[in-house]
Amino acid sequence: MTVIAVEGPEALGIDPQKLETLRTRVGKEVAEDLLPSSQFALARDGKLAAFEAFGDADLDTRYVIFSATKALVASAAWQLIAAGKLEVALPVAAYIPEFGANGKDAITVEQVMLHTSGFPHAPLGPPKWYDRAARIAQFGQWRLNWEPGTAYEYHATSAHWVLAELIERISGQDYRDFIHDNVTAPLGLPRVLGLAPSEQTGIADLQLCGEPPTADELEAAFGVRELPVTEVTDEALMSLSAPENRELGIPGGGGIATAATMALFYQALLHNPDGLWDAEVLADATGRVRNSFPDPLLHTPANRGLGVIIAGDDGKASLRGFGHTQSGRTFGHNGAGGQICWADPESGLSFSYLTNGNDAHMLRQARRTIGITSKAAICSK
């Protein structure tokens, strides 16, 4: 285990004993051979307070961050919004006419970014997703699963393919290059989406771990004895480690990063160095709940901002993937495998926990994320 601190944790207002408690909790399942590896990073005042790796990993190890990718893609869209080039109230079809077929002509950009756009099950996979023209053609064939703007259902990948195409249409630049040139590179962070084969060394392959919960456990937690099948299957998650998919850079879940990269990205969202984002757009995107529709499984308000999840003060933050101790203003996004990345404007902390172990016991996985976040959020003195 290695520790890197740009400044000593105490110099950044981090309580060393609380940090040690966090460290022990993050490493617990690795020490018990349940997970192959993990990383965490804690940051404040724009600097890393701690960055550590456990198990079969070091500080150079990168992870597929799955849906935590979504906040990075959204942050690029915020720049286009600030420039007046992307209007979230306008229909997607105003920018991508091909998208409007089959009753999708009224779907707005905002609905796409809030997962209220009504096409969560729209199909797009290999080989079509490797070719931009084929992706656009697929947009036109998609049909609605329900009326847009009437409900929330997580669009695991479909909505962000549309968001990526919006970035390309408006900027005239490949979405992966645009995100790097306008977000990660200006922050001094490495490229996260679309890695050439020569750039793919040191990426941890996903491993399936553990046994799934019993029907009794599911019923106790959710009131059902069997969960609905979604596109987020073990096979789908494993496929994101394929070299061709790492190179593709799937905008809804194919980002590749270290925990340090993600903690520093969220520090940038707190401090907005060099005015990378328009301050008003940034505050609105990360601080205003635009989607309060209930989650269909957890029956909890989604609390979605414009590309991030907001913890909220209703006592249900843990059902949104956060912990019990952060402020209600905390915003971030989780990823498959129990990964979580967030920033708390009140404490000034940002945090990232990554792992390449996909625990089949989703309830244990959720409890792990809640416990880790709860300990991270109180590390400030």
Side-chain angles (χ1 to χ4, degrees):
M1 180 179 67
T2 307
V3 179
I4 290 179
V6 175
E7 291 195 19
E10 290 190 71
L12 294 175
I14 303 301
D15 185 305
Q17 292 184 331
K18 293 177 180 177
L19 178 59
E20 181 58 32
T21 300
L22 171 63
R23 176 184 296 119
T24 300
R25 182 64 191 88
V26 172
K28 180 178 182 292
E29 282 82 4
V30 176
E32 294 173 352
D33 293 325
L34 177 61
L35 300 178
S37 78
S38 64
Q39 264 184 6
F40 83 90
L42 185 72
R44 201 180 196 193
D45 296 337
K47 300 174 182 178
L48 289 174
F51 175 30
E52 307 189 14
F54 301 82
D56 188 19
D58 57 33
L59 299 185
D60 293 321
T61 301
R62 291 173 292 169
Y63 294 85
V64 180
I65 61 173
F66 299 111
S67 286
T69 308
K70 290 179 169 68
L72 283 154
V73 178
S75 76
W78 301 338
Q79 295 177 337
L80 297 175
I81 292 167
K85 297 178 179 179
L86 180 63
E87 296 282 348
V88 298
L90 287 181
V92 172
Y95 302 97
I96 311 172
E98 303 94 325
F99 174 82
N102 296 324
K104 303 191 301 299
D105 53 300
I107 294 174
T108 66
V109 175
E110 180 183 42
Q111 289 168 343
V112 166
M113 297 183 74
L114 297 180
H115 302 262
T116 62
S117 49
F119 55 95
H121 310 303
L124 178 58
K128 291 181 179 179
W129 66 10
Y130 298 114
D131 180 76
R132 183 185 179 193
R135 295 195 298 262
I136 295 169
Q138 192 74 8
F139 291 170
Q141 296 181 28
W142 285 351
R143 297 182 180 276
L144 293 172
N145 301 116
W146 36 266
E147 183 181 351
T150 64
Y152 162 71
E153 186 174 352
Y154 190 59
H155 293 51
T157 60
S158 56
H160 278 68
W161 277 120
V162 175
L163 191 56
E165 179 59 25
L166 284 166
I167 291 171
E168 294 203 355
R169 290 283 172 112
I170 294 167
S171 71
Q173 188 178 8
D174 181 284
Y175 71 90
R176 298 159 293 193
D177 294 338
F178 184 88
I179 292 166
H180 183 57
D181 291 348
N182 292 277
V183 178
T184 46
L187 296 174
L189 300 176
R191 187 182 181 98
V192 170
L193 268 176
L195 303 185
S198 61
E199 301 171 324
Q200 294 186 19
T201 57
I203 302 173
D205 289 329
L206 183 67
Q207 297 182 35
L208 303 181
C209 311
E211 297 295 329
T214 65
D216 288 345
E217 289 175 310
L218 290 175
E219 186 170 31
F222 303 121
V224 297
R225 297 185 64 80
E226 185 177 15
L227 295 178
V229 177
T230 70
E231 67 174 293
V232 188
T233 63
D234 289 343
E235 292 76 16
L237 295 175
M238 294 289 284
S239 75
L240 295 184
S241 287
E244 60 271 23
N245 291 331
R246 292 171 174 171
E247 185 172 12
L248 172 61
I250 298 160
I256 296 169
T258 65
T261 291
M262 296 308 295
L264 290 173
F265 166 69
Y266 275 92
Q267 277 295 302
L269 296 183
L270 288 179
H271 298 289
N272 197 14
D274 299 321
L276 190 61
W277 295 277
D278 176 86
E280 188 174 328
V281 170
L282 178 61
D284 178 78
T286 61
R288 178 160 70 100
V289 174
R290 294 173 178 243
N291 172 8
S292 296
F293 286 115
D295 179 281
L297 179 63
L298 300 174
H299 310 294
T300 300
N303 266 41
R304 289 248 165 196
L306 203 61
V308 294
I309 307 165
I310 299 171
D313 289 317
D314 59 358
K316 297 181 179 180
S318 62
L319 295 177
R320 301 181 183 108
F322 296 102
H324 299 293
T325 60
Q326 73 290 306
S327 81
R329 295 174 60 204
T330 300
F331 61 88
H333 211 292
N334 37 28
Q339 300 180 109
I340 185 70
C341 306
W342 53 258
D344 186 342
E346 294 194 10
S347 69
L349 293 173
S350 64
F351 178 73
S352 175
Y353 165 74
L354 306 178
T355 179
N356 65 323
N358 187 33
D359 189 349
H361 199 298
M362 61 173 296
L363 301 177
R364 177 173 56 210
Q365 185 181 104
R367 289 193 292 266
R368 176 165 57 250
T369 302
I370 293 167
I372 288 171
T373 280
S374 296
K375 290 173 173 56
I378 59 171
C379 276
S380 57
K381 291 182 179 180

